[in-house]
Amino acid sequence: MVGSPVHRVSAEDTWSRSMHPDIESERHSQSFNVEELTNILDGGTQNTTLRRKVESIIHSDPELSLKDNYFMTQNERYEAAIKKKFHILMLAQRLGWSEGSRELQYASRSVSGDLGFALHHIFQKTIQSLGSEEQIAKWDPLCSKFQILGTYAQTEMGHGTYLQGLETEATYDAATQEFVVHSPTMTAIKWWPGDLGRSATHALVQAQLTCSGARQGMHAFIVPIRSLDDHSPLPGITTGDIGPKMDFNHTDNGFLKLDHVRIPRENMLNRFAQVLPDGTYVKLGVPKSNYLSMVAVRVDMLLSEVLPLLQKACTIAVRYAVVRRQSRLRPSDPEAKVLDYQTQQQKLFPPLAMAYAFHFVASNLLEFFRHSYSSILDRDFALLPELHALSAGLKAMLSDFCTQGVEQCRRACGGHGYSKLSGLPSLLTRVTASCTYEGENTVLYLQTARFLIKSYLNTQKSPGSASKGSLPQSVAYLTAPEVARCPAQTAADFLHPELYTTAWAHVAVRLIKDSVHHLQTLRQAGADEHDAWNQTTVIHVQATKAHLYYVTVKIFTEALEKLESQPAIQQVLKHLCDLYALHGILTNAGDFLHDGFLSGAQTDMARKAYLDLLPLIRKDAILLTDAFDFTDQCLNSALGCYDGHAYERLFQWAQKSPTNTEGNPAYEKYIRPLLQARRARL
């Protein structure tokens, strides 16, 4: 039962006992084994089995249902999210699910991450990354047992991504061996941290350290903010909720104003730096080591938070596109499924290709992070610059593209895509936030750009000194032999991964080279380094985006090579990989035509290859979205249900709206008097 499609369907709906014929026909003949692809995405058959088991437990508990979410107020959403978290913690205790286990990850996925205390886990992870062994021994058990509730307070009203600009102060008082943590200005008030508004008892506050009269930059401090007896704010603490937002209504994003709050010396996280009792500052790491916890969060959020939003949007939009019929392809035919129109395929298949590309990219980044993390904790920082550049750039790229992709899917569903009951508006408003939180995307692209410029200049030092081996792996292509012209002679040539990977490498190298040239030209003309940088940032961002597209194409093609033992799946994913690479080339055709790497005729060939892929992907589109294996309860979409009965659900769900069940107070107050006044005159 669990292994069959039945597990995906919300069984309480009577019509779910049958499949809509238009969606059933899509699953009738399968060119690949959907279950095997699901296993690949899950990282193994055993993970798929475990995930479905957890989903079955979660969906059988009415306390964990999402079905009323679209009708709730902000306060109701907040309480429901805390309630769900509470119930899952009780379940975990009863079933022996350990903290950080796959079971708890799958439980969160089952309820679409609609849980309280998300920042509590970031608080805990930051202590694990930046705290000493003694600090971890003290605070980690308190976090795990929920004896305290933490939040991560970095962003301020006046500063976010630019950490050096943070204004919150932590001044060391050697006489009492305490730090005095203070918000000196209005703009220094911490603003936006989740769980801060109403839930957290402790905040991990990022503040500028001053000791022995010298400023030492940003450090992390554990600050108690609410009483463990009655939850009231502690002396010197002003805190609350920041009010209505575009989404994340289940999260109590808050503010925190600190008025000379004293904390013990031991509350500064000191794995990489410490303040001795007499106020002497001892540095044990590199300045970037304080960014480690942020890198960890960025890497994790791509797979757990950002990517599922695009996968869900693709699932909803593609399923709806085969049950929605509109107009005729030829006068004598019945109305066509909208997915049979080439324009609809052009809207939906690039986001679908991205959803698969980004799965392999985010998994690859996670692997690299795990490989680097233990070395960094042992104070070996060799891999940190590349890890920081890759995680910053890919976070920016994936959140940008996922946001565009979700909106594309929403618009592809026409009017019904504007209804919250479709699930798409909530996916959009949620994924939009990921372009800002954990680093504003433009700033992140520019951080990656600095790494690229440094790497490129390294290749120019002296002939032979920067061989491939001495460059970080992600930029090794900077020293590859140059291919000045694309060798493609037919449309079919554009389906060779080596050809389009080389094309992306060529453009990335040219744009990086160009950005360095512009920078150096301005410097030679007398501009100082800061003005020269600011006047070339648009060019740096363009180069960085080309580099990141190259990286993602390369990772996707390498992932395909590992699937040789599953040729049917390899073939269907290759269609998506080809489409992903070519979509990028055609969207940015000017960059490929600029220096004659592609000719106009070759661009036409690439377009033909691209358009010829659409009908191939069309045959497998439903199966490719089925492979994401979202249950109906998790999708929470009237349009995206597994059985295809979109209209029945839409009508039923609309009738449950409080606007239809709670009467109409405006009628007695305004409509009735208005109508009666008009009637009297008739």
Side-chain angles (χ1 to χ4, degrees):
M1 175 72 116
V2 165
S4 76
V6 174
H7 75 276
R8 300 192 187 97
V9 177
S10 36
E12 69 268 17
D13 299 326
T14 49
W15 54 76
S16 289
R17 291 167 201 159
S18 68
M19 287 282 160
H20 190 294
D22 281 346
I23 207 162
E24 192 170 31
S25 63
E26 300 285 334
R27 298 184 177 117
H28 191 61
S29 55
Q30 305 196 351
S31 66
F32 66 95
N33 186 316
V34 175
E35 187 71 7
E36 279 181 24
L37 182 50
T38 299
N39 297 158
I40 290 167
L41 295 174
D42 280 334
T45 312
Q46 69 285 2
N47 290 344
T48 303
T49 304
L50 179 63
R51 174 175 56 73
R52 288 177 181 163
K53 184 182 171 186
V54 171
E55 285 169 350
S56 173
I57 293 165
I58 297 296
H59 295 328
S60 64
D61 186 339
E63 299 288 1
L64 298 173
S65 168
L66 300 173
K67 66 180 179 188
D68 295 325
N69 272 11
Y70 300 131
F71 307 123
M72 287 183 185
T73 64
Q74 184 175 350
N75 278 337
E76 288 168 340
R77 283 291 304 278
Y78 165 73
E79 187 183 342
I82 301 284
K83 179 181 78 169
K84 287 191 199 85
K85 182 70 175 185
F86 177 82
H87 277 280
I88 285 176
L89 289 172
M90 296 302 105
L91 262 178
Q93 211 172 350
R94 200 174 78 235
L95 299 171
W97 296 348
S98 59
E99 179 207 333
S101 64
R102 284 192 189 276
E103 286 91 343
L104 281 173
Q105 288 170 25
Y106 294 147
S108 176
R109 171 185 151 122
S110 304
V111 295
S112 300
D114 197 55
L115 298 168
F117 312 150
L119 270 284
H120 175 74
H121 299 289
I122 292 174
F123 173 85
Q124 187 173 8
K125 276 182 182 172
T126 306
I127 292 171
Q128 291 164 357
S129 298
L130 302 181
S132 65
E133 296 308 317
E134 295 80 8
Q135 288 173 323
I136 293 169
K138 175 183 175 178
W139 293 100
D140 204 48
L142 296 174
C143 294
S144 296
K145 293 171 186 166
F146 286 85
Q147 291 172 320
I148 62 170
L149 283 173
T151 182
Y152 180 82
Q154 175 176 299
T155 301
E156 297 173 355
M157 200 181 260
H159 283 92
T161 308
Y162 179 57
L163 303 187
Q164 293 167 42
L166 296 178
E167 296 176 85
T168 303
E169 299 168 345
T171 308
Y172 184 64
D173 181 351
T176 59
Q177 293 199 26
E178 291 174 314
F179 292 103
V180 181
V181 191
H182 181 60
S183 310
T185 62
M186 175 68 74
T187 47
I189 295 171
K190 295 295 181 185
W191 195 270
W192 277 111
D195 300 337
L196 174 59
R198 303 161 83 174
S199 310
T201 61
H202 289 66
L204 203 144
V205 175
Q206 293 283 8
Q208 301 290 354
L209 167 65
T210 301
C211 55
S212 301
R215 280 189 71 152
Q216 300 293 352
M218 186 190 75
H219 290 71
F221 301 85
I222 297 173
V223 182
I225 59 171
R226 287 188 177 92
S227 161
L228 290 172
D229 295 323
D230 64 2
H231 213 56
S232 60
L234 294 171
I237 300 288
T238 305
T239 188
D241 189 278
I242 65 168
K245 303 157 302 212
M246 193 166 162
D247 201 328
F248 283 88
N249 286 323
H250 64 288
T251 302
D252 54 323
N253 297 88
F255 59 80
L256 174 64
K257 187 171 186 288
L258 299 138
D259 185 2
H260 299 92
V261 175
R262 287 181 169 266
I263 59 169
R265 184 175 67 91
E266 296 74 30
N267 281 27
M268 181 181 112
L269 297 188
N270 60 19
R271 179 185 289 274
F272 298 116
Q274 54 185 256
V275 175
L276 302 181
D278 67 355
T280 305
Y281 180 73
V282 181
K283 187 159 72 170
L284 304 166
V286 295
K288 276 208 171 86
S289 52
N290 268 336
Y291 292 65
L292 185 59
S293 59
M294 203 191 299
V295 169
V297 173
R298 276 179 197 152
V299 170
D300 181 58
M301 69 179 259
L302 294 178
L303 272 176
S304 64
E305 173 65 34
V306 179
L307 185 56
L309 300 172
L310 178 61
Q311 292 172 333
K312 286 179 181 180
C314 289
T315 303
I316 294 165
V318 170
R319 285 179 180 173
Y320 179 59
V322 300
V323 297
R324 176 75 172 188
R325 287 179 174 270
Q326 205 74 50
S327 192
R328 296 176 169 83
L329 283 165
R330 51 176 67 81
S332 58
D333 286 357
E335 286 194 86
K337 296 178 176 185
V338 292
L339 196 60
D340 289 335
Y341 292 101
Q342 189 185 53
T343 47
Q344 188 76 351
Q345 294 166 15
Q346 151 71 3
K347 286 177 194 173
L348 294 181
F349 296 167
L352 179 60
M354 282 172 196
Y356 273 93
F358 296 162
H359 166 80
F360 294 112
V361 168
S363 302
N364 184 285
L365 180 63
L366 180 62
E367 217 172 281
F368 179 50
F369 172 75
R370 285 175 177 159
H371 168 63
S372 318
Y373 187 67
S374 50
S375 307
I376 294 166
L377 289 185
D378 292 335
R379 303 193 183 121
D380 171 4
F381 300 106
L383 291 170
L384 186 57
E386 184 181 26
L387 177 63
H388 179 253
L390 265 180
S391 61
L394 290 173
K395 181 269 172 185
M397 181 191 187
L398 268 63
S399 57
D400 266 355
F401 278 38
C402 287
T403 300
Q404 292 164 21
V406 171
E407 170 64 357
Q408 185 94 319
C409 289
R410 189 197 66 74
R411 289 169 65 177
C413 292
H416 293 327
Y418 197 71
S419 165
K420 268 197 172 182
L421 303 183
S422 72
L424 291 161
S426 304
L427 294 174
L428 178 63
T429 49
R430 192 155 172 169
V431 74
T432 299
S434 70
C435 296
T436 309
Y437 67 69
E438 300 309 326
E440 194 282 327
N441 283 358
T442 303
V443 177
L444 296 187
Y445 284 129
L446 288 170
Q447 287 176 5
T448 305
R450 287 191 187 276
F451 170 78
L452 294 176
I453 290 166
K454 200 172 171 184
S455 300
Y456 179 77
L457 290 174
N458 185 31
T459 69
Q460 302 303 299
K461 278 179 185 166
S462 62
S465 69
S467 65
K468 256 190 180 178
S470 65
L471 275 179
Q473 197 186 343
S474 60
V475 285
Y477 70 98
L478 290 174
T479 57
E482 194 182 345
V483 179
R485 296 279 179 274
C486 175
Q489 294 181 335
T490 65
D493 290 341
F494 279 97
L495 301 178
H496 291 299
E498 193 184 342
L499 185 134
Y500 53 65
T501 308
T502 304
W504 272 109
H506 171 86
V507 163
V509 171
R510 182 180 67 74
L511 290 173
I512 292 166
K513 203 174 181 174
D514 188 48
S515 73
V516 172
H517 171 71
H518 277 83
L519 196 59
Q520 290 174 334
T521 303
L522 283 173
R523 291 299 308 279
Q524 285 157 10
D528 73 29
E529 63 174 310
H530 307 294
D531 280 342
W533 174 258
N534 186 40
Q535 288 175 49
T536 51
T537 46
V538 170
I539 299 168
H540 298 316
V541 169
Q542 186 189 9
T544 301
K545 288 180 176 179
H547 161 73
L548 292 166
Y549 215 110
Y550 160 76
V551 167
T552 55
V553 167
K554 188 167 185 290
I555 290 171
F556 200 173
T557 57
E558 286 170 356
L560 290 183
E561 286 165 17
K562 294 173 187 166
L563 294 173
E564 280 181 354
S565 61
Q566 293 162 289
I569 287 174
Q570 187 185 46
Q571 183 59 52
V572 73
L573 291 184
K574 185 181 179 297
H575 294 329
L576 293 177
C577 185
D578 295 344
L579 189 87
Y580 174 71
L582 294 177
H583 182 259
I585 289 171
L586 294 166
T587 306
N588 301 281
D591 292 336
F592 293 82
L593 291 162
H594 180 90
D595 62 344
F597 178 79
L598 279 189
S599 66
Q602 285 175 320
T603 309
D604 288 343
M605 291 173 203
R607 186 178 62 185
K608 180 179 182 343
Y610 172 83
L611 293 175
D612 287 349
L613 285 165
L614 297 176
L616 298 177
I617 295 167
R618 165 67 187 90
K619 295 202 304 282
D620 298 312
I622 284 291
L623 305 177
L624 284 163
T625 55
D626 283 351
F628 295 138
D629 206 36
F630 292 113
T631 60
D632 282 355
Q633 294 94 325
C634 173
L635 272 181
N636 202 20
S637 166
L639 300 190
C641 33
Y642 185 80
D643 58 34
H645 293 298
Y647 299 128
E648 290 84 349
R649 268 189 186 76
L650 200 52
F651 186 56
Q652 189 200 49
W653 288 15
Q655 290 175 81
K656 290 179 183 172
S657 171
T659 51
N660 292 319
T661 59
E662 292 176 6
N664 183 358
Y667 174 72
E668 291 300 333
K669 288 182 189 171
Y670 309 111
I671 297 174
R672 186 175 176 179
L674 191 65
L675 289 172
Q676 286 178 339
R678 294 289 184 274
R679 200 165 61 200
R681 290 179 196 166
L682 287 173

